[in-house]
């Protein structure tokens, strides 16, 4: 297999390298770019498989056709890291290469993969995948679009309910290829940026704090006509003592929530979640 994923500052190259070696493949760690060197490797070692982005596969095929280089040994490809529309699939297939998609992240490795059935993607059997309503963590109904949340019980590198920020939906039924694990429809866009990774916790904490502050404000607020008079006084520049205390507490509670949320966001902002 010719592995053109990068081995530098990203685990993509190592993820696909290890996967191929687990299947008994000899791997050419080519990395991306440098098409002339890629042609020399392909012509010398005649790899059957390719792994990398679909864009770079097309670049290699186009450059080989225009430059008279022989890349005919490549018959299969596992691509990721970029969109792979049907038009590009058909074009690559017309050149004698059967290419399949894989969906994964730098944190988890491969999450789901396409099979010869070409109906959605089968979830990696080593992972627990949920689809939730963005910003809440609550599961959506089967078939509805939601954010992908993944749990990995790998003892070396565990993750519990890691929110990826990517959207998908469950594909019902069983794959015609025979695999029985959950299937997803594939990548369907991005969730709101505030829901990424720790965003759900931050939002839930802030909402809970605001609700508690509002409940306390309602508990001590004056009732009936007195409350209406106080609101009128406020409009004229006056302030009833009870209302002043309640308003001050509400502002302090809101300030604490905002401060806490800011700290959470600043700590979570640098969490890397690369996709390919």
């Amino acid at each position: 297999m010719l592995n053109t994923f990068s081995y530098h500052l990203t685990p993509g190259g190592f993820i696909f390298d290890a996967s191929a070696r687990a299947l008994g493949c000899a791997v050419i760690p080519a990395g991306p770019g440098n098409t002339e060197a890629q042609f020399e490797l392909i012509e010398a070692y005649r790899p059957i498989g390719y792994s990398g982005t679909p864009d770079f596969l097309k670049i290699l095929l186009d450059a080989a056709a225009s430059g008279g280089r022989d890349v005919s040994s490549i018959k299969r490809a596992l691509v990721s890291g970029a969109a792979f529309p049907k038009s590009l699939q058909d074009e690559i297939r017309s050149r004698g290469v059967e290419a399949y998609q894989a969906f994964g992240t730098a944190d988890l490795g491969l999450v789901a993969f396409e099979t010869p059935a070409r109906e959605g993607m089968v979830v990696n059997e080593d992972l627990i995948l949920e689809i939730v309503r963005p910003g809440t963590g609550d599961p959506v109904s089967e078939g509805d679009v939601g954010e992908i949340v993944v749990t990995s019980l790998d003892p070396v590198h565990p993750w519990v309910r890691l929110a990826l920020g990517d959207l998908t939906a469950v594909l019902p039924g069983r794959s015609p290829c025979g695999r029985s694990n959950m299937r997803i429809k594939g990548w369907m866009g991005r969730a709101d940026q505030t829901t990424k990774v720790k965003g759900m916790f931050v939002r839930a904490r802030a909402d809970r704090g605001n609700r508690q502050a509002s409940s306390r404000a309602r508990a001590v607020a004056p009732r009936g006509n007195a409350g209406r008079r106080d609101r009128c006084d406020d409009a004229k520049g006056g302030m009833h003592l009870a209302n002043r205390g309640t308003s001050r507490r509400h502002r302090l509670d809101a300030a604490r929530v905002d401060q806490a949320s800011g700290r959470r966001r600043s700590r979570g902002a640098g969490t890397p979640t690369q996709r390919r």
Side-chain angles (χ1 to χ4, degrees), residues 1 6 12 41 59 176 209 216 218 225 245 252:
M1 186 183 80
S6 176
L41 290 170
I59 289 172
R216 286 194 294 269
R218 286 194 299 270
N225 293 332
L252 287 174

Side-chain angles (χ1 to χ4, degrees), residues 221-234 240 243:
R223 299 281 193 259
N225 293 332
R228 285 194 290 274
R229 283 196 300 274
D230 292 334
R231 284 194 291 273
C232 292
D233 291 342
D234 291 347
H240 188 275
N243 278 354

Side-chain angles (χ1 to χ4, degrees), residues 213 216-218 220-222 241-251:
R216 286 194 294 269
R218 286 194 299 270
V220 299
L241 180 61
N243 278 354
R244 184 170 65 234
T246 300
S247 177
R248 182 172 180 273
R249 280 194 296 273
H250 186 78
R251 289 198 302 270

Side-chain angles (χ1 to χ4, degrees), residues 61-69:
L61 295 175
D62 288 344
S66 62
R69 306 303 294 261

